[in-house]
Amino acid sequence: MAYRIAPSILSANFARLGEEVDNVLKSGADIVHFDVMDNHYVPNLTIGPLVCEALRKHGVTAPIDVHLMVKPVDRIIPDFAKAGATYITFHPEASEHIDRTIGLIRESGCKPGLVFNPATPLDVLDWTLDKLDMVLLMSVNPGFGGQKFIPHVLDKARQVRRMIEERGLSVSLEIDGGVGPANILEVAKAGVDTFVAGSAVFGAGKDSDPQRYNSIIAALRAELAKV
Ligand code: DX5
Ligand code: ZN
């Protein structure tokens, strides 16, 4: 399986965001995970399409994985598509019409994904999985970086991987929250292929060192090589 590491810029230094993203990509990260919070669906407020567009203008060419923790979702989707988003994922409970929102993301030229909180059941996947490019399982409750991994999400990962295989699909399975070198191996063994890591990556090394992310990304890859 091709594994992808997606550092969450939520834990980056926002005062130097372009440089932070350049450094983490140079260190071998595959995807930029972009957490959008609205102080309504989740109790925190972060960044929007202008920042996504600024990263593209800065020269970022890697996929940008926009994780919408906003309600409602539809209004903001075309803005993120114009701003250069690659994936746009949303929480099913934040949309009145899940199928319509998936279609809107696709029509806007982006790759749609659904995000499931730790206690959210997976039943909507019965009717949506074949329309998605990504399933994102939250292994913390959304809103903040640096929380502890919730282990029952491993069972959900195994279940989603089984569904993807049974249907012969090539949907990515991503996990978000509390992932680091100590647990990435067991997460991969549960069938996950794309790993968000915020505090584990951006908390690494000394702030002044542009190569400070090399060793943490290498440590994550070394664990993945053991699968
Ligand atoms: C939480 C966000 C995550 C967060 C993960 O709501 O969706 O992407 O940045 O942070 P860590 O890896 O520190 O748990
Ligand atoms: Zn996220």
Side-chain angles (χ1 to χ4, degrees):
M1 185 163 326
Y3 293 120
R4 300 186 297 175
I5 295 174
S8 161
I9 58 174
L10 184 64
S11 293
N13 181 343
F14 279 121
R16 297 195 280 99
L17 189 58
E19 203 184 303
E20 287 273 76
V21 171
D22 290 344
N23 289 343
V24 90
L25 290 169
K26 265 186 229 146
S27 300
D30 304 289
I31 297 180
V32 178
H33 185 79
F34 191 104
D35 286 307
V36 185
M37 304 184 185
D38 67 348
N39 186 38
H40 170 69
Y41 177 67
V42 289
N44 202 352
L45 185 64
T46 59
I47 46 179
L50 289 177
V51 176
C52 184
E53 190 184 3
L55 288 176
R56 287 299 187 210
K57 284 189 176 153
H58 176 73
V60 174
T61 55
I64 297 182
D65 168 27
V66 172
H67 173 192
L68 293 181
M69 288 162 273
V70 305
K71 189 178 179 175
V73 287
D74 291 6
R75 226 286 308 143
I76 203 79
I77 285 168
D79 295 11
F80 269 106
K82 276 190 221 110
T86 309
Y87 293 93
I88 299 181
T89 66
F90 68 98
H91 292 247
E93 57 273 63
S95 170
E96 298 290 343
H97 305 280
I98 297 164
D99 186 75
R100 176 178 289 151
T101 303
I102 293 169
L104 185 58
I105 295 170
R106 183 76 69 198
E107 283 156 25
S108 309
C110 297
K111 298 178 174 184
L114 278 177
V115 194
F116 296 89
N117 285 335
T120 303
L122 298 168
D123 47 1
V124 300
L125 285 179
D126 289 346
W127 313 106
T128 55
L129 191 57
D130 61 333
K131 298 181 175 133
L132 300 176
D133 283 294
M134 175 97 90
V135 174
L136 171 50
L137 297 177
M138 293 307 298
S139 38
V140 297
N141 288 294
F144 304 93
Q147 303 181 78
K148 207 167 167 289
F149 185 87
I150 298 172
H152 79 241
V153 176
L154 294 173
D155 288 333
K156 284 175 107 173
R158 283 185 274 269
Q159 205 176 318
V160 177
R161 175 55 63 196
R162 224 174 13 250
M163 287 177 82
I164 293 169
E165 276 170 8
E166 278 167 9
R167 298 180 191 200
L169 299 170
S170 59
V171 183
S172 276
L173 178 53
E174 183 178 47
I175 203 149
D176 185 3
V179 174
N183 60 6
I184 194 169
L185 178 57
E186 62 172 338
V187 176
K189 284 182 175 164
V192 170
D193 55 74
T194 303
F195 306 85
V196 176
S199 50
V201 170
F202 285 103
K206 280 213 183 78
D207 206 34
S208 54
D209 176 7
Q211 294 185 343
R212 68 190 171 284
Y213 303 128
N214 289 0
S215 50
I216 177 67
I217 305 268
L220 294 169
R221 291 225 188 271
E223 286 300 305
L224 292 172
K226 296 179 189 166
V227 176

